[in-house]
Amino acid sequence: HFYSAERYASIEALRGVYAWAHAQPLIPVWGGRYARAVEDFFVMRIYQRGPRRFLLEGGPAVRTARFDAPGAVVDLAASRGVLGFRSEQGSLYVHLDESAAREVVLGPAAGAGPWLEEANFEVEGWSRSAGGVRFNKRGWWKGSGVLAGCSPGRAYRVSSGKTTWTTAASGDGRLRLSF
């Protein structure tokens, strides 16, 4: 609001807010994409199919679901439409693909990786195999992300456009990507 520019202290406070916001892990989102996600949030239905099995129907623009299940992980082999997950502050955030029906199975172990732990871009066309993963990054900005469940210390080949390079997973099996 223009009143924020009325006093020097107000402008400095606003600069502090902007600096804080820019220091957060953000993902730019197109306005239309955000509107679809909001609309789909209200049509998506979650059905519990078993003690740790959930069916998510509708809402393909909703790409993250939160489960308040401390210590839980996603059984990737038994799940459908799941790109990966991340545990944070006692909640499990499950990254979903763009399909209309996804199934999330919580288990004692994730199984063989890799899986998407975090990204500041939208992921499309995700496919996972014994040899690795393949996906498309959607976004015009410099992207970064983390694949978890990799073999610690193993070198992986990464391709982006016409550029290919090799990078090694960390000791805890995380592969940090930047493109």
Side-chain angles (χ1 to χ4, degrees):
H1 199 273
F2 71 90
Y3 289 124
S4 295
E6 197 172 72
R7 302 223 188 296
Y8 180 76
S10 299
I11 292 173
E12 287 305 305
L14 192 55
R15 282 188 181 136
V17 169
Y18 282 138
W20 175 85
H22 283 285
Q24 305 308 304
L26 301 174
I27 175 173
V29 178
W30 285 273
R33 169 70 182 89
Y34 180 78
R36 280 191 305 284
V38 170
E39 289 170 351
D40 279 3
F41 174 81
F42 291 104
V43 279
M44 187 166 129
R45 298 289 177 251
I46 302 175
Y47 303 99
Q48 189 163 359
R49 297 289 193 200
R52 295 172 68 83
R53 183 178 294 267
F54 303 88
L55 179 64
L56 290 71
E57 285 188 335
V62 176
R63 302 295 298 273
T64 304
R66 187 185 89 196
F67 293 85
D68 293 326
V73 296
V74 177
D75 180 341
L76 295 167
S79 297
R80 267 184 311 121
V82 174
L83 309 178
F85 61 92
R86 176 187 175 125
S87 295
E88 191 169 323
Q89 297 181 352
S91 294
L92 179 68
Y93 295 88
V94 181
H95 310 306
L96 306 168
D97 71 8
E98 61 274 1
S99 57
R102 287 81 55 106
E103 187 170 20
V104 177
V105 180
L106 305 180
W115 65 84
L116 183 68
E117 186 175 66
E118 66 181 80
N120 73 343
F121 53 87
E122 206 167 326
V123 174
E124 294 179 335
W126 178 272
S127 65
R128 194 162 69 99
S129 66
V133 295
R134 175 176 227 120
F135 62 88
N136 296 315
K137 168 195 171 280
R138 183 171 183 211
W140 67 91
W141 55 90
K142 182 175 175 145
S144 62
V146 177
L147 297 179
C150 299
S151 298
R154 178 178 167 207
Y156 288 86
R157 186 179 59 134
V158 179
S159 298
S160 176
K162 295 180 181 180
T163 306
T164 299
W165 66 97
T166 302
T167 187
S170 63
D172 60 358
R174 286 179 170 78
L175 186 66
R176 301 193 186 289
L177 304 172
S178 182
F179 36 26

